[in-house]
């Protein structure tokens, strides 16, 4: 595989560039019988969509999801679900000047090194716009998880030094009421002030996103390389701009002792022990680096290797995290959907029972 | 896949339990023509082996790697390499008492929940002993990487609050001269004092391991789900006890601005941009939780759900990280070997050229 | 995987139903730098397209391939290539009557048994129209193979008892000059007469297709489950209506002795020994069953399990094989493209050489 | 993957050469709770074992299967099952003379072309001895299938022109009572006479094996590339010496009309329609070429490309098929076990039901 596929049974294959015809995803392995229509995608696509607030790129995309296959009479058929999101507001002209140099902090040069040339229009495949397809796939995964009572919520925990001390599951409405998706009005206002300052300098800000999943059954994840945290780690690190991922107590475990870390309520474990879900809430955090495309003048290399000074133009977010919240949720839901399907076959007694039932019904 | 396989072309399949006949790995997809013998495994296996110092379990295992297939006249043949490490010092009697309860911080209950029963002897498949097979596989990966000048070195950066301020590539001899694998004699001594204190209380300690790879060619890793950091993230999170992983500036990016993070020397990127290697050193850190098996009395649940007080007996390390250093290196080398093979086909011109050469030689 | 993906590096993910919005394929793992445009698909799509002759369904589809991603400045970028073929001539009304019963020889009941319900419009995903996506993917594979001099040609060898005694590589023009793609004018005319007779009875005919690939380098295919013949076998059996596949001497080997079969020119091997290409022409044959949708009255079961008499309406081919010739070629090309990419990493010396060259160029 | 793995959930990884330390298989993804011991392997290993009759190689191997992992208290644990079969009777000296030339009909030259050198001892990885690991894995698959009433039986249908006209499921005892595994005493005797004649000439014979599986639930197999016949096709073609595979009416469909082929009892379909099991018996046939290693003098090429005359020494079967019967059964069982696990997730209602039940039990 060359990397645009994820999952083993519930497998998504995404495609598309920032400035091509559009983006999409083919979902193979989605079980039959899930009620699904194009309107189901609207809410989550809107949460990821550009142009939501003054803190997001003004590029305006409706990001309507079109279903091309896999649905009959309003239900999934068990065959591949093809979803397309058209690009409607691409402005390639914004990018003509970046063909000649490598934007700092971007994949420009690494793509060139790998492939011998690159699609320089808005980052091509390495654009954050690629995540639209993940959110579309995440909606389908969520539809599978909901009847089991599994719910995932992510929010922005920290921007700069403005940190939200929240513990427990945040309220979705409170998150959405903040333009930065920080579910603490006071911290949100402080972070807005910090972000406005950065924007006024043509600069951008990093952040930490926390994601909590409730209702996860015990037993998901597989030893030893498909541990649930290993797969969630891959899933979240695969989102552009993520430079760190941690579960439960995370990096703080370095300063803990075994006695302190082994809490009987398992809060430090983040819902996973030995790579398998405990049945507790799954808690993970991801560190998002600041948007590298800034108008503030900075050093860069041109294609000939000369150091030059550049100011990156175009329509860029000063903060990745607020729009990425739904992307994190989507990747978590995709991992869980896949592991639930894999786990259907973990015990011989369950298998025999299901097949005996199916045979009796014939 | 049920989780005991990793890699796409250079694919390893590990097996084995702490207290069964042994452990092993089958490596499929290793190129033909690599010189390999059983002695090549000795050094790295010794670095992971129990009983190395007063800070490691006194369980004594020689951990000799036996080659059962895939080698002819001292070279890899291109067919599967089967490696076996026999268990010789298992003492199942140590574990008879843990059959009745779930050790805190362990996978005991999650395995029970998943499979309906568990191998309670020393954690079975969830034992840290499982990593012996990874180290054996890592040696083969290293043999493939060495002729390209790719070298990976990991060390213990932090135990408790004792942190090694080192920057740059640490000296391997200096690392090995410390019983805790901290390449700063002063910090090492302070950490030893801290660890001895924990041991005297029947307790254990957490740590942070840093891993640096030099000589990596630009262009490794694949957009968008097989980003090099996503695969390394999966690989390192799959090591038991890891609760956090970060690259380059890691979690500190939350407090950085785009201008600060976009350093022209790319130190903050940790050698990866857009999920593809830049050609710079790859720098990652992993947080290891303290060993959960401690003799200090703590609360636990028995199989009937009653809260009880336990003191976990057996031969346990007070610190996971010092022995895990070589496991981290091994997982990094396995990821790199696999991505190098995948990357052989990234450009049509290279493919045509190789086949034309092969045809001319016939 | 739920089955709509094929290949390991050059991996295709197809989607779509006969009577939905359209069909398509996402190709991941195609190397960068291949010149590719929408016109490149026209010739092969036309060979598979309905309505080509009096012996094919009159359903009229232009089957224009639209490229949605993966191409920049006329060349593949190394990222996923998304191809779409819109359905324009679907007439669901044709199928409303088949919702209530199971067409003999079709997947109607098996889909119902598997998924609990089915898309009954024209067979849904089990329609032969699904193969349009394979042909589109096959064109991309062919573009990769052509510079290495690899060429695949299939033709109809037998219909009923009319058999083409041809040996050696058939002339493409001669094949295309026959409406049944039999490259022997006399046999073609006899087969037309036979087929017209069947059509006049509302019946259909089976056939054998032979496929020959020239210019294949030695060394493709991997022991033991990814033998080249094993993968070609899967690829060709995955085409609907195929009931038999054979290589070289095929089923005739049962009557041969070792001395007879071991011909020094290796004609009996069909270009593959031990599952690996010999460098000789690859020769395979596939048996296609007669189209099961016939207007001639026949017995069937309704959904309640009662035996009824049916005459299947709709626009059906009386012969699958003539249009399937290009589908067989496509599947063969897809397998070869994938194995060529896998084979790039078979020898350590080639790998070291390529990376040293890449590093020198930096 | 480089080819020594098969299956998606029930995944086997085989290893080993004819003249190395031994052979083996690691089975990942086998459900927990299956009763399994080393004695379970004896019967099927004995059916494949050399030295069974005057028509098999006199090489004497006990082929005892040793379980190294994955079993606790007599049951599978859900973690990898590692099985080893030691080579005890290898005589490498038999093969020293074949290092210098390429045996006709063997993989000698293709391995050399692929890997740059080869293990010439008895064919190395390309030896038929490799199938011992498949039979061991097949036993585990069979253990999973048995409680569902799924049974697979293969037998030799044809040797030379001696064909067994049997229809229906053959009696296992009758098969085993024939040294050639032909369940018709008269045909068996005729075939013995034919085979003895070939043996007296230092020659060997080809054959056709038929394999029938009863009790298969409807709904196994996945559109479009993982059709049940496509996967069975790959599985059976992956057995060395197989040159043709067919299902149900097989190659005879070429001479049938749709009306004839669409039998309401579905005998012609061989138990599979649209790539999905119908619930009827699955019937497949495989053509095995004659053993290429013959003592009769024949032409060959040496490593320098000169044509020479050779007489292949060593202990070779004059017929592959009789010992291969259990290999075919094993591959069919492995495919079915895997597809049953995949199919656990085909319908959303089954998934929700199982997880609700698991949650209630906690």
């Amino acid at each position: 595989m060359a990397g645009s596929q994820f999952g083993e049974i519930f497998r998504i294959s995404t495609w598309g560039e920032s400035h091509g015809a559009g983006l999409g995803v083919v979902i193979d392995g989605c079980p039959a019988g899930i009620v699904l229509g194009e309107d189901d995608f609207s809410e989550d696509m809107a949460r990821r969509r550009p142009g939501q607030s003054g803190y997001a790129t003004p590029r305006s995309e409706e990001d309507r999801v079109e279903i091309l296959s896999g649905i009959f009479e309003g239900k999934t058929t068990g065959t591949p679900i093809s979803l397309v999101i058209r690009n409607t507001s691409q402005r390639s002209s914004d990018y003509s000047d970046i063909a000649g140099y490598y934007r700092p902090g971007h994949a420009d040069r690494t793509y060139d090194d790998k492939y011998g040339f690159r699609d320089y229009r808005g980052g091509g495949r390495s654009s954050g716009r690629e995540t639209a397809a993940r959110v579309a796939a995440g909606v389908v995964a969520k539809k599978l998880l909901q009847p089991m009572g599994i719910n995932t919520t992510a929010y922005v925990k920290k921007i700069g030094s403005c940190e939200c001390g929240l513990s427990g599951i945040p309220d979705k409405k409170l998150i959405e009421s903040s333009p930065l998706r920080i579910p603490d009005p006071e911290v949100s206002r402080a972070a807005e002030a910090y972000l406005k300052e950065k924007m006024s300098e043509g600069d951008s800000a990093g952040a930490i996103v926390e994601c909590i999943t409730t209702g996860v059954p015990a037993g998901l994840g597989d030893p030893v390389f498909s541990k649930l945290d290993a797969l969630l780690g891959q899933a979240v690190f695969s989102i552009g701009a993520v430079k760190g991922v941690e579960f439960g107590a995370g990096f703080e475990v370095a300063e803990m002792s075994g006695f302190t870390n082994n809490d009987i309520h398992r809060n430090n474990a983040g819902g996973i022990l030995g790579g398998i879900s405990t049945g507790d809430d799954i808690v993970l955090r991801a560190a998002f680096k600041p948007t590298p495309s800034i108008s503030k003048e900075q050093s860069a290399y041109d294609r000939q290797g000369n150091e030059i000074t550049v100011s990156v133009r175009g329509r860029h977010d000063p903060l990745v995290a607020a729009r990425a919240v739904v992307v994190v949720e989507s990747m978590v839901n995709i991992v869980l959907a896949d592991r639930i399907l894999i786990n259907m076959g973990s015990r011989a007694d369950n298998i025999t029972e299901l097949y005996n039932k199916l045979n009796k019904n014939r």
Side-chain angles (χ1 to χ4, degrees), chain A residues 40 62 114 159 191 203 221 262 266 321 343 360:
Chain A
D40 289 318
E62 197 193 357
K114 184 177 187 71
I159 297 177
D203 208 345
N262 284 349
R266 297 185 298 257
N343 200 47
K360 231 184 298 175

Side-chain angles (χ1 to χ4, degrees), chain A residues 20-42:
Chain A
L23 306 110
V25 59
V26 179
I27 305 167
D28 198 16
C30 182
I34 298 175
V35 175
L36 186 72
E38 292 186 349
D39 289 343
D40 289 318
F41 298 92
S42 309

Side-chain angles (χ1 to χ4, degrees), chain A residues 153-173:
Chain A
T153 306
Y155 68 97
V156 176
K157 192 175 185 66
K158 183 178 174 179
I159 297 177
S161 59
C162 309
E163 183 161 3
C164 179
L166 185 84
S167 76
I169 307 140
D171 181 67
K172 292 207 185 210
K173 276 190 194 146

Side-chain angles (χ1 to χ4, degrees), chain A residues 42 45-46 49-50 60-65 85-86 88-89 129:
Chain A
S42 309
M45 293 305 289
R49 196 161 57 84
S60 166
E61 291 280 5
E62 197 193 357
D63 284 352
R64 173 121 198 117
V65 174
I85 303 140
R86 294 272 167 183
T88 58
S89 173
R129 184 151 174 73

